Amino acid sequence: MDFLKMPPGDLPAFDDTYGFQQTRSPNPNWTYGQKIEATQEGREWAQGETKGWKVVDTEKEDPIKLYILMISGIVPRPIAFVSTISNTGIENLAPFSWFNMVTHSPPVVSISCSNGPVRVHDTTDNIKANRGFTVNIISEPWVEAANVCSIDAPAEVSEWPLSGLTKAPSVHVKPARVKESAFSMECELLQIIDIIHPVTQKATTSLILGTVKYIHVRKDVLTDKGAVDPAKLKAVGRMGDITYSRIGDGFRLPRPLWEKEVQGIEKALQGLIVQPDHSE
Ligand SMILES: Cc1cc2nc3c(=O)[nH]c(=O)nc-3n(C[C@H](O)[C@H](O)[C@H](O)COP(=O)(O)O)c2cc1C
């Protein structure tokens, strides 16, 4: 069944009994230097290569097709649900998935807003004007309310009343945070980088860097080590077209440390079969 071709209303109902779980990694017996085709799990997947490769020259590709390809290939993306306020006091909410953490020291996030041919996003104008904004992580129980805020409403219309979401006061910036979000950040504009198209010389996109001044995290989603528990946060991500993703099952795979692994790596390079040490 091709779910991508089905009208959203004909899809099976959302399964809210599903719970995030942690498993082992797909190929826990993988050894240093082992080819993917040789692994049980990867063998069938690797055979897809026999159909060959489509090589896309981005300078020649139609921008719409490039957009379709890139937003479906660069997945899953986290989503920043951004609250801003205009110079005249109109409050704005909108989701952005060209979003990520840049660094924790200092804490900086990035959001990328495209500048349409007709108008620049209200979010960009508002951040330029007032510097402060909040980024709220969307959880499954209220994703429809957040999605509705992607509507192309005129600048004088606030998305807050449409969404039914609740404003919670921020401590540092003017725009409210979203009370329904279990993880919100109060951000201050650090830098805006205009992405200039080399052919048209137009600033097609504004890359917004924001310093995170305060984080509001709901206590019930925290582990005793101070991390966010993905099973409790229930964050959603963005795929291609209108597809969202839920956080699928996680698997745990320790990062190799040279000091611990060097002997095994030397043996593997001599042709011996050596598995990475999977103890944490
Ligand atoms: C899940 C989701 C992610 C989106 N991500 C982006 C993005 O990263 N950049 C962008 O320019 N527009 C993105 N959009 C579209 C904007 O949300 C939409 O154009 C919105 O109207 C912008 O609001 P504003 O003009 O009030 O700022 C996204 C829409 C959705 C539903």
Side-chain angles (χ1 to χ4, degrees), residues 67 77-80 82 84 92-99 111-115 119-126 138 146-155 157 159 205 237-239 241 243-244:
Y67 168 81
R77 293 182 302 284
I79 306 173
V82 182
T84 54
N92 196 89
L93 272 177
F96 296 92
S97 68
W98 300 347
F99 156 61
I111 307 162
S112 189
C113 302
S114 59
N115 303 323
R119 62 175 244 231
V120 169
H121 282 324
D122 300 332
T123 301
T124 316
D125 283 341
N126 294 350
I138 305 166
N147 180 68
V148 91
C149 298
S150 66
I151 193 164
D152 53 342
V157 174
E159 292 81 5
T205 307
R238 176 81 157 152
M239 312 285 285
D241 64 80
T243 304
Y244 282 85

Side-chain angles (χ1 to χ4, degrees), residues 100-110 190 210 212:
N100 224 308
M101 166 173 166
V102 175
T103 164
H104 73 286
S105 181
V108 173
V109 292
S110 65
L190 174 67
V212 180

